[in-house]
Amino acid sequence: MMYDGQTVSTFATGDTIGGRISLARDALEMSVEDASRIVGVTSETWRNWENDRSAPRANLLDRIAGALKVSLAWLLSGRGTGPDWDDVSFYEAGAKYLLH
């Protein structure tokens, strides 16, 4: 599906934010440890988000979306640019968003 010239992922609109975080991370073949390190949280915090035990703070949402290569709108609602299953993996991309 296209929306404003961008591919739209509609299969995640009924999912939770945690489900979308997990889905996007899986699409990049990224580990929880790598994802949490990129965003600057513990692995436990990341797992809590994916399992809907807690939600990310608003000030981290943009960083999460960037690290997972999805739009902020998709992360929040499931509408917008979602994971590209044909995109290069996290490792092939050279950990573009890795914070040192």
Side-chain angles (χ1 to χ4, degrees):
M1 173 186 271
M2 295 291 286
Y3 179 75
D4 285 340
Q6 294 187 346
T7 303
V8 176
S9 178
T10 58
F11 62 90
T13 56
D15 207 345
T16 63
I17 191 169
R20 286 187 292 276
I21 289 172
S22 178
L23 184 70
R25 183 183 57 75
D26 286 346
L28 290 175
E29 300 176 359
M30 187 186 306
S31 70
V32 167
E33 290 73 23
D34 287 336
S36 62
R37 188 173 67 243
I38 291 166
V39 174
V41 298
T42 66
S43 297
E44 180 182 5
T45 295
W46 191 277
R47 283 186 189 92
N48 285 338
W49 294 342
E50 287 193 4
N51 293 308
D52 294 313
R53 290 189 203 114
S54 64
R57 293 186 321 253
N59 65 330
L60 292 176
L61 292 172
D62 193 49
R63 187 181 297 180
I64 295 166
L68 297 176
K69 299 182 177 183
V70 297
S71 69
L72 182 56
W74 184 87
L75 186 64
L76 293 172
S77 69
R79 295 185 182 275
T81 305
D84 183 354
W85 293 95
D86 296 324
D87 198 5
V88 295
S89 74
F90 167 71
Y91 298 103
E92 293 167 337
K96 178 180 175 184
Y97 293 96
L98 187 61
L99 302 175
H100 297 283

